[in-house]
């Protein structure tokens, strides 16, 4: 028996060898049923594109939309010294994980379909070089400028590549933003900040063979 306050609740259940299950209910309730399915797992190796060298200490994570749809929370694992990883306690479904590490990013060319209780250990993810974009948001009020603390800066791929997710970050108290693991390419910039207006246009960010530093994005008081 579980005790909770009245209202909408979600009950989670876990057991060895099974994927996590959850069920929504409204308290008080006489009974809540949570179904558990035999766990599947997804494993493999992360290698450097071109050289096929294993890459250690890379975070392999299930994409956000997959996690939300399957109720997986933060399903992820880090590669070991041989570049190998395994994510356990997965429910049946189709997965396309991402691999993110210091200065590298990658994802498999195709998604992987996991059956009930199936274990896949031969997925290979190639990672490519990724860069960091650093800048500062300033809010202009006449001749005065203040840091845009809390502003959200987003980069949007400018080449029509739907597989490249938008990248975003929030400015610190000094208005500084650091966007890590940015893949090479051309990006459009959008900025949101309460009480401020973004410019009609910001110069695109072009990421190539090195990090991008010292960018200034100016907003005005609304």
């Amino acid at each position: 028996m579980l005790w909770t306050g009245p209202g909408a609740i979600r009950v989670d259940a876990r057991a060895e060898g099974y994927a996590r299950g959850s069920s929504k209910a409204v308290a008080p309730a006489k009974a809540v049923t949570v179904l558990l399915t035999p766990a599947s797992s997804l494993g493999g190796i992360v290698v450097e594109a071109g050289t096929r060298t294993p890459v250690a200490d890379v975070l392999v994570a299930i994409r956000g939309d997959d996690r939300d749809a399957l109720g997986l929370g933060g399903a992820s694992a880090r590669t070991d010294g041989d570049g190998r990883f395994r994510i356990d306690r997965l429910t049946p479904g189709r997965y396309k994980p991402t691999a993110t590490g210091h200065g590298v990013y990658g994802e498999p060319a195709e998604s992987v379909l996991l059956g009930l209780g199936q274990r896949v250990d031969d997925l290979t993810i190639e990672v490519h070089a990724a860069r960091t974009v650093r800048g500062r948001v300033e809010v202009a009020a006449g001749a005065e400028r203040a840091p845009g603390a809390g502003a959200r800066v987003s980069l949007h791929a400018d080449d029509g590549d739907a597989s490249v997710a938008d990248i975003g970050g929030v400015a610190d108290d000094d208005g500084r933003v650091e966007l890590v693991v940015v893949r090479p390419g051309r990006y459009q910039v959008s900025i949101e900040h309460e009480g401020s207006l973004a410019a009609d246009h910001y110069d695109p960010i072009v990421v190539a063979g090195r990090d991008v530093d010292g960018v200034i994005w100016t907003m005005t008081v609304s």
Side-chain angles (χ1 to χ4, degrees):
M1 179 178 293
L2 299 175
W3 296 91
T4 185
I9 60 172
R10 191 183 78 176
V11 179
D12 293 329
R14 297 188 182 190
E16 188 67 30
Y18 291 86
R20 191 186 79 180
S22 65
S23 181
K24 294 181 180 180
V26 177
K30 291 184 177 180
V32 178
T33 301
V34 180
L35 299 178
L36 298 182
T37 59
S40 303
S41 67
L42 179 59
I45 188 170
V46 175
V47 299
E48 185 180 83
T51 69
R52 307 291 289 183
T53 302
V55 184
D57 197 28
V58 169
L59 179 67
V60 181
I62 301 299
R63 281 173 172 263
D65 51 356
D66 294 336
R67 289 200 306 265
D68 296 341
L70 299 171
L72 295 173
S76 63
R78 283 198 173 274
T79 57
D80 62 17
D82 296 321
R84 303 204 64 85
F85 71 91
R86 190 175 76 187
I87 303 175
D88 294 311
R89 294 191 176 185
L90 299 177
T91 56
R94 187 169 290 279
Y95 297 91
K96 191 174 185 182
T98 59
T100 306
H102 181 69
V104 296
Y105 174 88
E107 58 184 65
E110 303 289 341
S111 59
V112 178
L113 180 62
L114 286 181
L116 184 65
Q118 183 180 7
R119 176 171 172 165
V120 172
D121 287 320
D122 58 356
L123 179 65
T124 298
I125 304 177
E126 292 188 345
V127 291
H128 301 260
R131 303 301 175 187
T132 298
V133 175
R134 301 179 184 89
R136 186 172 189 267
V137 179
E138 297 181 347
V139 179
E144 301 294 328
R145 294 197 174 199
R152 179 165 185 82
V153 178
S154 299
L155 303 183
H156 313 276
D158 195 31
D159 57 5
D161 186 356
S163 69
V164 179
D166 291 346
I167 301 163
V170 177
D172 63 16
D173 291 344
D174 293 324
R176 301 189 182 279
V177 182
E178 184 173 85
L179 306 174
V180 298
V181 196
V182 183
R183 296 168 63 181
R186 180 184 172 95
Y187 295 85
Q188 297 295 332
V189 181
S190 64
I191 307 178
E192 297 179 352
H193 184 244
E194 186 175 357
S196 303
L197 294 175
D200 293 335
H201 172 77
Y202 293 105
D203 290 339
I205 299 294
V206 178
V207 178
R210 63 181 62 185
D211 293 348
V212 177
D213 291 298
V215 184
I216 300 295
W217 297 291
T218 301
M219 307 184 76
T220 57
V221 175
S222 59

